[in-house]
Amino acid sequence: MVSHVLAPEDDRNRQGDSSMSTQQLTELVRAAQGGDPQAQDRLLAHHLPLVYNIVGRAMNGHHDVDDVVQETMLRALAGLGDLRARTASGPGWWPSR
């Protein structure tokens, strides 16, 4: 399902889709929460460049960056069901706990 998104050697994964609107992202999150594997892949691919950037800087280019990024993305995917849309306070998503 998400194996091609988590492969760091795949250049298309690092580019993401920065042109996605808030509405499109909301629809994508909802579809991914509903179990749509294509939506899950697209959502992960959208956020992968940012996660690589943050983890890579935090780990100062350590050789385990890819493993940490993969674990982070898998945890994010597993936690999709716990997200709820922010409505009154603006766009975005928050854990429901």
Side-chain angles (χ1 to χ4, degrees), residues 2-52:
V2 293
S3 59
H4 77 274
V5 174
L6 299 177
E9 61 277 357
D10 192 347
D11 287 339
R12 67 194 161 134
N13 297 331
R14 295 189 186 232
Q15 294 176 15
D17 182 3
S18 60
S19 64
M20 195 177 301
S21 72
T22 301
Q23 179 65 29
Q24 290 171 319
L25 189 55
T26 297
E27 291 170 5
L28 191 59
V29 168
R30 288 193 176 128
Q33 285 176 321
D36 179 342
Q38 290 178 337
Q40 291 171 352
D41 284 351
R42 189 162 173 228
L43 185 63
L44 293 179
H46 175 77
H47 289 91
L48 192 60
L50 175 63
V51 173
Y52 258 108

